[in-house]
Amino acid sequence: MPGKIVFQVLYTSEAGYAFTRDDLALLLAGARRRNAAVDLTGMLVFAQNLFLQVLEGRAEDVLATFARIEVDSRHKNITTLFRGNAPAGRLFAEWAMGFHLIADADDLPAGLVRVHERINLAQFDHLSALEFLSACQRSLAPS
Ligand SMILES: Cc1cc2nc3c(=O)[nH]c(=O)nc-3n(C[C@H](O)[C@H](O)[C@H](O)COP(=O)(O)O)c2cc1C
């Protein structure tokens, strides 16, 4: 949405149980379908049972979606890193919800300074989380 104000929510959470790849695929399929319907874009990363997600779009759509996500029993301990207008506009415009699974150190996106071999999605602040999500997005094939 060029020229329009983009609202963004960024959070981390903890999976409520041991997610399988099938669980993740199911979650993602539903998210992409609903997001596409309201022109919501973003990126989701899963590593060591933690989620990191950014949602971007019109404020009312992002907030309505996040309100559903917050009460979803599939995850817990939701920590909001940022909720507000995104100064840089949409960063994930190509993705109704990009997804990157980090199963081991080889899955870490290129171009990141590796402080630890194991990534902890709960360690990020707003800007480092966005940088990490952007690096994950760059590692995805174009949609
Ligand atoms: C980690 C995680 C990420 C999710 N991401 C989205 C999303 O991007 N968009 C979305 O519509 N639902 C997402 N969901 C699913 C919502 O929590 C919710 O189940 C879905 O929107 C349907 O809502 P309803 O059951 O109230 O109809 C996500 C759930 C989890 C656990």
Side-chain angles (χ1 to χ4, degrees), residues 11 27 31 34-35 51 53 55 65 68-69 72 74 97:
Y11 75 88
L27 187 157
R34 282 183 297 268
N35 293 351
F51 290 107
Q53 187 176 32
L55 301 158
T65 299
R68 296 196 309 272
I69 291 173
D72 192 320
R74 288 175 285 181
M97 189 48 62

Side-chain angles (χ1 to χ4, degrees), residues 119-141:
I119 195 82
N120 177 1
L121 297 183
Q123 80 194 354
F124 292 124
D125 63 13
H126 175 205
L127 289 179
S128 58
L130 277 183
E131 193 192 347
F132 182 76
L133 287 161
S134 296
C136 290
Q137 173 180 231
R138 286 194 293 275
S139 73
L140 298 178

Side-chain angles (χ1 to χ4, degrees), residues 76-91:
K76 58 192 178 184
N77 297 335
I78 294 167
T79 304
T80 306
L81 300 175
F82 182 74
R83 187 196 305 236
N85 292 329
R90 271 191 208 251
L91 301 177

Side-chain angles (χ1 to χ4, degrees), residues 98-113:
F99 178 67
H100 186 58
L101 170 64
I102 299 177
D104 59 50
D106 289 346
D107 301 324
L108 286 174
L112 275 185
V113 180

Side-chain angles (χ1 to χ4, degrees), residues 25-43:
L26 197 68
L27 187 157
L28 202 60
R32 286 179 169 160
R33 180 170 37 79
R34 282 183 297 268
N35 293 351
V38 291
D39 195 22
L40 206 150
T41 53
M43 181 83 201

